[in-house]
Amino acid sequence: MFGMIPFVKMAGRGLGKIFKGKDAEDALKKEVKDLGLAKDEIDIHVDDNGKVSVKGKGVTQEMKEKIILAVGNVEGVGEVEDGIEASDDAPASEFHTVVSGDTLWAISKRYYNKGSRYKEIFEANRPMLKHPDKIYVGQVLRIPADNAESV
């Protein structure tokens, strides 16, 4: 488990003007479902301060991370509390918060020492990312563990 994952509250996809309570929970559940990440075993709760708790089981480590990012990269969410039990023992990814000047190439170079591996980061963040050039400051991305076979 990751524990508490911080997000930039003022960055991300806007799903509504008021982001708390049942309306926010419904909006996040819809977001997860629309991205094809929905699992019946996942429960999402939003408190009045923009803290989201996700709980459940029956999803892979990859799916768990994508669900966390799908709900965290929403405007109004300041942090996500991870309570999801992964159904496999795949290594956890690192999370990277995009800063001004970042590109997937530069991020790939930082984490993998090879910019040309940016496609791995792009694929690891689909379906949330639609194009490798469409990242924004404050967005949190999955950086999968470096796999020697990919080098």
Side-chain angles (χ1 to χ4, degrees):
M1 282 194 201
F2 288 106
M4 193 68 65
I5 302 100
F7 286 85
V8 178
K9 195 171 188 175
M10 301 311 291
R13 183 176 155 105
L15 297 181
K17 292 183 180 180
I18 299 174
F19 198 81
K20 59 185 177 181
K22 178 99 170 85
D23 290 341
E25 291 169 8
D26 290 344
L28 289 177
K29 288 175 185 175
K30 182 178 182 330
E31 178 75 358
V32 169
K33 182 179 180 189
D34 289 351
L35 290 169
L37 305 173
K39 287 287 189 178
D40 293 334
E41 299 86 7
I42 301 300
D43 180 53
I44 299 173
H45 174 74
V46 181
D47 74 10
D48 289 344
N49 297 316
K51 177 181 158 191
V52 177
S53 299
V54 290
K55 297 179 181 173
K57 55 186 176 181
V59 297
T60 64
Q61 181 69 28
E62 176 183 0
M63 187 66 70
K64 166 186 163 167
E65 293 168 1
K66 287 183 176 189
I67 291 168
I68 290 168
L69 292 181
V71 300
N73 283 319
V74 168
E75 186 177 4
V77 175
E79 56 189 357
V80 175
E81 182 179 15
D82 170 22
I84 302 174
E85 294 177 38
S87 61
D88 61 5
D89 54 358
S93 298
E94 291 186 61
F95 287 159
H96 173 84
T97 302
V98 176
V99 297
S100 181
D102 269 352
T103 62
L104 289 185
W105 184 281
I107 295 167
S108 176
K109 188 151 181 66
R110 175 179 173 192
Y111 286 91
Y112 301 142
N113 294 315
K114 204 171 188 183
S116 60
R117 292 180 63 189
Y118 77 92
K119 292 176 189 170
E120 293 173 49
I121 297 171
F122 174 68
E123 290 300 325
N125 287 279
R126 287 176 62 86
M128 288 78 62
L129 288 184
K130 307 288 188 225
H131 190 280
D133 292 334
K134 303 288 184 186
I135 61 174
Y136 57 86
V137 173
Q139 183 176 26
V140 179
L141 300 173
R142 289 179 66 230
I143 311 296
D146 193 1
N147 182 346
E149 294 173 13
S150 300
V151 177

